[in-house]
């Protein structure tokens, strides 16, 4: 039996933390080596993990998704009373009693191990351990040497990716290890395969708390979910109108009896005629999308009512792009592809060129949904960055100097070349964090004292007010800084550089109010990152998974000791176009 480490948490555990630790220790006492705890963002998962490791008193390794979160574990531990007696390390040597690493430290694969001697890619079934690079393999060997180690897996929903399969193999080498998984994502939102992996790794959660429960208990700040709807810029709108015209032309062509040897409506009437009363119930159950499309076509007086069917309220509107696509798919497979008529081959070619305008593609396997250029225009519209400026100006008017805003984007800068059709319609950097920074700097130029900064995995930039404060704050933190010239209203800061150090500096300045707006990416600041004073989140990302949504919203939920009445505002910025057939895709997402 080991003794707890001689350090102490410099405060009091709140109810959720104390209850979670009691469940964890009860599991240990019952011989349970793998434990899962679900706590929402801001509810104190880090303290639970550190306390669990402290109480076990064995060598401990914490794995987390990125360097920002890795650094937070280090800072939290160093705030413990007497932490110098049990130092925390951040390297693979595992020489310290407690080590904070990223998952990438372990899941680092050797490119040469991805192919066999003939240059053929190895099968996915190959052991992940065999593909690790030497540094990662040495880390695994060191874990094996430690034996009775405490392994804390922060934000362990990431294990549902390749890391989970790798960890499964590593844990087979660590029969004496005690594993604690921490996440804000309840297992109920994952798919069947992911649920099987979670069950194998941890079993059922021993403790779980929801976000509303944590708000009711006073652990998290009350919050408001808000949507800001904008429309595309005039240039984007004109282009979308042309795309909508293609869809209109497609519908006109299909309704023309001379479009192909078998007219679309003739085929549709025959398709409806084959449906009997019993067949309709089965079709509605097995193919609800097709059934709904047929009923909307009937409402538009384009086909008869299928036998046994009944119109309901969702069917009483014009067929949408998805309805046309599902029926065109059947038309192609039953009437056009089997035909040897050159006229039908020409009809197929016309469909092939027209369908991408509504986000579908004609392939050898039928019609498949894809992302159309119109989807990209709506998701990355320049109007969304402008909307962010409108939101922040309103927030600043409402709460004044208390405003601390986080603006999240999917990526720092665009890396893929714009499709030729969108050159001149979208800026190459549309939707990026850099584009958002430049837009906000221009839109909020009537507030020169408001610090606006960007911190990503490789870039730090800011308006003049924030650049001065960032440079001073970074130098105070031991970062050598050079402030670049003002270009487009923004300075770029360079010098000695790590993402973890810069995020720490920027977070401190945001909490103090020296920076009022922090722009970043979901990968770096959208998960595990916390600043208690954040009042406002402007979500410019396109993420829709339950995990991403929970993590993104969690950035604003921490209680602010200096403002107990804080209410967090989470803004989803949505671009809609009423004229395009897929103009509501951003809203649907």
């Amino acid at each position: 039996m080991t003794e707890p480490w001689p350090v102490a948490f410099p405060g009091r555990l709140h109810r959720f933390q104390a209850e979670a630790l009691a469940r964890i220790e009860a599991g240990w006492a019952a011989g349970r080596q793998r434990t899962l705890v679900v706590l929402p963002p801001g509810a104190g998962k880090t303290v639970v993990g550190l306390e669990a490791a402290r109480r076990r008193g064995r060598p401990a390794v914490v794995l987390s998704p990125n360097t920002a979160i890795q650094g937070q574990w280090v800072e939290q531990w160093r705030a413990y009373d007497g932490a110098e007696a049990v130092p925390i390390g951040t390297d693979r040597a595992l020489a310290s009693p407690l080590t904070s690493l990223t998952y990438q430290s372990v899941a680092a694969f050797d490119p040469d191990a991805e192919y066999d001697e003939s240059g053929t890619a190895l099968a996915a079934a190959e052991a992940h351990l065999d593909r690790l690079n030497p540094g990662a393999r040495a880390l695994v060997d060191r874990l094996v040497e430690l034996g009775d180690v405490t392994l804390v897996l922060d934000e362990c929903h990431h294990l549902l990716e390749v890391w989970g399969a790798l960890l499964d193999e590593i844990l087979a080498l660590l029969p004496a290890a005690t594993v604690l998984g921490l996440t804000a994502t309840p297992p109920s939102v994952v798919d069947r395969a992911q649920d099987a992996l979670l069950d194998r790794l941890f079993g059922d959660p021993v403790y779980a708390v929801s976000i509303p429960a944590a708000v009711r208990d006073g652990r998290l700040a009350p919050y408001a979910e808000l949507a800001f709807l904008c429309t595309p810029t005039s240039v984007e709108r004109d282009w979308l109108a042309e795309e909508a015209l293609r869809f209109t032309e497609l519908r006109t062509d299909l309704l023309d009896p001379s479009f192909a040897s078998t007219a679309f409506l003739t085929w549709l009437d025959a398709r409806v005629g084959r449906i009997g009363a019993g067949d309709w119930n089965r079709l509605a159950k097995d193919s609800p999308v097709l059934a709904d499309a047929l009923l909307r076509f009937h409402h538009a007086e384009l086909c008869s009512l299928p036998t046994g069917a009944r119109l309901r309220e969702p069917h009483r509107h014009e067929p949408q792009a998805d309805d046309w696509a599902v029926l065109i798919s059947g038309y192609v497979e039953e009437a056009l592809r089997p035909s040897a008529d050159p006229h039908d081959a020409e009809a197929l070619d016309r469909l092939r060129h027209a369908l991408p305008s509504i986000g579908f593609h004609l392939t050898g396997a039928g019609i498949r949904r894809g992302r159309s250029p119109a989807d990209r225009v709506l998701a990355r519209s320049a109007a969304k960055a402008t909307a962010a400026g409108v939101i922040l100006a309103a927030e600043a008017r409402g709460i004044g100097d208390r405003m601390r805003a986080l603006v999240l984007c999917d990526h720092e800068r665009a890396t893929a070349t714009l499709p030729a059709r969108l050159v001149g319609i979208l800026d190459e950097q549309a939707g990026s964090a850099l584009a958002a920074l430049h837009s906000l700097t221009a839109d909020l130029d009537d507030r020169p004292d408001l610090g606006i900064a960007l911190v990503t995995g490789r870039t730090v930039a800011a308006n003049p007010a924030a650049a001065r404060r960032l440079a001073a704050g970074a130098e105070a933190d031991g970062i050598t800084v050079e402030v670049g010239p003002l270009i487009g209203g923004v300075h770029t800061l360079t010098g000695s550089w790590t993402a973890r150090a810069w995020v720490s500096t920027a977070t401190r300045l945001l909490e103090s109010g020296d920076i009022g707006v922090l722009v970043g990416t979901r990968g770096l600041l959208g998960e595990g990152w916390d600043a208690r004073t954040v009042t406002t989140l402007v979500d410019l990302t396109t993420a829709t998974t339950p995990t991403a949504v929970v993590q993104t919203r969690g950035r604003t939920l921490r209680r602010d000791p200096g403002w107990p009445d804080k209410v967090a505002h989470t803004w989803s910025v949505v671009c809609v176009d009423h004229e395009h057939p897929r103009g509501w895709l951003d809203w649907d997402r």
Side-chain angles (χ1 to χ4, degrees):
M1 184 68 178
T2 59
E3 293 295 325
W5 290 330
V7 297
F9 177 58
R12 294 182 58 187
L13 298 175
H14 63 65
R15 179 168 69 90
F16 296 142
Q17 292 170 327
E19 290 176 355
L21 284 162
R23 297 283 184 87
I24 292 168
E25 291 187 300
W28 291 346
R32 181 168 182 161
Q33 289 181 269
R34 301 186 187 182
T35 307
L36 178 64
V37 170
V38 181
L39 287 172
K45 291 190 298 295
T46 303
V47 170
V48 170
L50 290 174
E51 271 297 292
R54 184 192 71 80
R55 294 180 185 190
R56 276 208 82 227
R58 301 296 303 158
V61 177
V62 179
L63 297 178
S64 48
N66 57 50
T67 56
I69 302 175
Q70 177 192 18
Q72 288 180 355
W73 281 84
V74 173
E75 291 177 11
Q76 182 73 65
W77 180 251
R78 288 176 177 166
Y80 266 57
D81 294 334
E84 62 279 359
V86 184
I88 185 170
T90 58
D91 60 72
R92 292 174 172 177
L94 308 186
S96 302
L98 175 62
T99 303
S100 177
L101 298 173
T102 63
Y103 285 113
Q104 293 91 331
S105 301
V106 184
F109 297 105
D110 184 349
D112 294 335
E114 302 294 309
Y115 302 90
D116 63 21
E117 293 181 357
S118 67
T120 303
L122 294 173
E126 294 286 338
H128 291 82
L129 281 169
D130 295 338
R131 297 164 44 224
L132 294 180
N133 68 24
R137 183 67 220 205
L139 171 58
V140 173
D141 292 341
R142 180 65 181 132
L143 285 170
V144 173
E145 290 175 8
L146 290 176
D148 183 12
V149 62
T150 304
L151 197 57
V152 180
L153 306 174
D154 192 19
E155 310 294 359
C156 65
H157 49 270
H158 284 280
L159 300 176
L160 304 181
E161 302 164 17
V162 67
W163 292 329
L166 171 62
L167 182 73
D168 217 8
E169 297 175 18
I170 293 174
L171 291 181
L173 304 177
L174 302 172
T178 296
V179 184
L180 171 61
L182 302 170
T183 183
T185 305
S188 58
V189 303
V190 303
D191 62 34
R192 184 176 300 177
Q194 294 171 332
D195 184 58
L197 177 58
L198 272 178
D199 187 62
R200 186 166 66 252
L201 291 175
F202 302 109
D204 293 332
V206 298
Y207 190 74
V209 175
S210 69
I211 289 177
V215 172
R216 287 194 300 271
D217 196 64
R219 291 297 121 201
L220 299 180
Y223 61 94
E225 286 279 356
L226 304 163
F228 189 103
L229 274 67
C230 60
T231 56
T233 66
S234 59
V235 172
E236 296 164 353
R237 192 162 52 248
D238 290 344
W239 183 87
L240 286 166
E242 292 181 12
E243 290 291 292
L245 180 61
R246 290 191 183 196
F247 179 58
T248 301
E249 292 171 343
L250 170 63
R251 290 184 299 181
T252 302
D253 286 346
L254 281 167
L255 298 180
D256 185 344
S258 64
F259 178 69
S261 61
T262 300
F264 175 70
L265 291 183
T266 301
W267 168 84
L268 183 57
D269 280 336
R271 178 71 180 84
V272 172
R274 296 198 301 269
I275 300 173
D279 296 329
W280 174 256
N281 293 332
R282 186 162 51 252
L283 177 68
K285 178 181 179 181
D286 296 341
S287 304
V289 174
L290 172 59
D292 288 343
L294 288 172
L295 292 178
R296 282 191 274 269
F297 266 70
H298 168 71
H299 175 73
E301 300 182 350
L302 295 174
C303 70
S304 57
L305 183 67
T307 303
R310 186 173 63 176
L311 232 59
R312 299 181 185 277
E313 193 58 35
H315 308 126
R316 301 182 190 280
H317 62 74
E318 290 295 307
Q320 302 299 304
D322 288 7
D323 300 321
W324 282 91
V326 70
L327 291 179
I328 291 171
S329 183
Y331 178 54
V332 165
E333 297 307 316
E334 295 182 12
L336 300 185
R337 281 202 200 279
S339 173
D341 190 324
H343 190 39
D344 292 341
E346 181 183 340
L348 276 172
D349 193 55
R350 289 162 72 182
L351 289 173
R352 184 174 292 108
H353 285 89
L355 282 168
S357 69
I358 57 170
F360 292 90
H361 302 277
L362 181 57
T363 70
I367 291 179
R368 296 289 182 266
R369 183 189 295 275
R371 192 176 188 191
S372 72
D375 299 340
R376 187 167 185 167
V377 168
L378 291 168
R380 298 189 180 183
S381 171
K384 296 178 82 166
T386 301
V390 174
I391 291 169
L392 295 183
E395 291 273 327
R397 287 195 301 271
I399 58 179
D401 293 339
R402 290 187 184 276
M403 185 186 77
R404 308 284 188 274
L406 175 66
V407 179
L408 282 185
C409 303
D410 285 314
H411 49 266
E412 174 192 323
R413 64 186 75 216
T415 54
T417 304
L418 275 177
R421 292 171 60 191
L422 295 182
V423 173
I425 308 303
L426 281 182
D427 184 84
E428 283 194 359
Q429 296 303 324
S432 70
L434 281 171
L437 172 67
H438 283 282
S439 179
L440 290 171
T441 300
D443 292 342
L444 299 173
D445 63 352
D446 61 333
R447 295 178 56 88
D449 291 336
L450 178 65
I452 306 172
L454 172 144
V455 178
T456 67
R458 58 182 178 178
T459 302
V460 178
N463 70 347
R468 293 192 301 270
R469 299 161 191 165
L470 266 172
E475 289 176 354
D477 290 340
I479 303 174
T480 302
V481 178
E482 182 175 335
V483 179
L486 188 67
I487 301 175
V490 169
H491 296 280
T492 298
L493 283 71
T494 58
S496 59
W497 207 93
T498 67
R500 188 172 69 204
W502 272 111
V503 167
S504 176
T505 298
T507 301
R508 177 168 54 79
L509 295 178
L510 181 69
E511 294 232 78
S512 67
D514 290 306
I515 293 174
V517 179
L518 181 60
V519 182
T521 60
R522 180 167 51 87
L524 189 62
L525 300 180
E527 179 176 60
W529 174 86
D530 289 301
R532 295 174 299 175
T533 59
V534 171
T535 60
T536 308
L537 167 70
V538 180
D539 184 2
L540 300 181
T541 73
T542 58
T544 59
T545 64
T547 294
V549 170
V550 169
Q551 291 294 337
T552 300
R553 269 61 182 152
R555 299 315 99 215
T556 61
L557 295 180
R558 281 187 175 270
R559 298 299 300 264
D560 180 357
W563 190 16
D565 295 331
K566 181 185 98 169
V567 175
H569 291 170
T570 297
W571 289 91
S572 296
V573 180
V574 183
C575 187
V576 296
D577 182 75
H578 295 273
E579 304 303 324
H580 192 277
R582 287 176 66 101
W584 286 90
L585 185 75
D586 208 34
W587 170 267
D588 292 340
R589 177 173 47 242

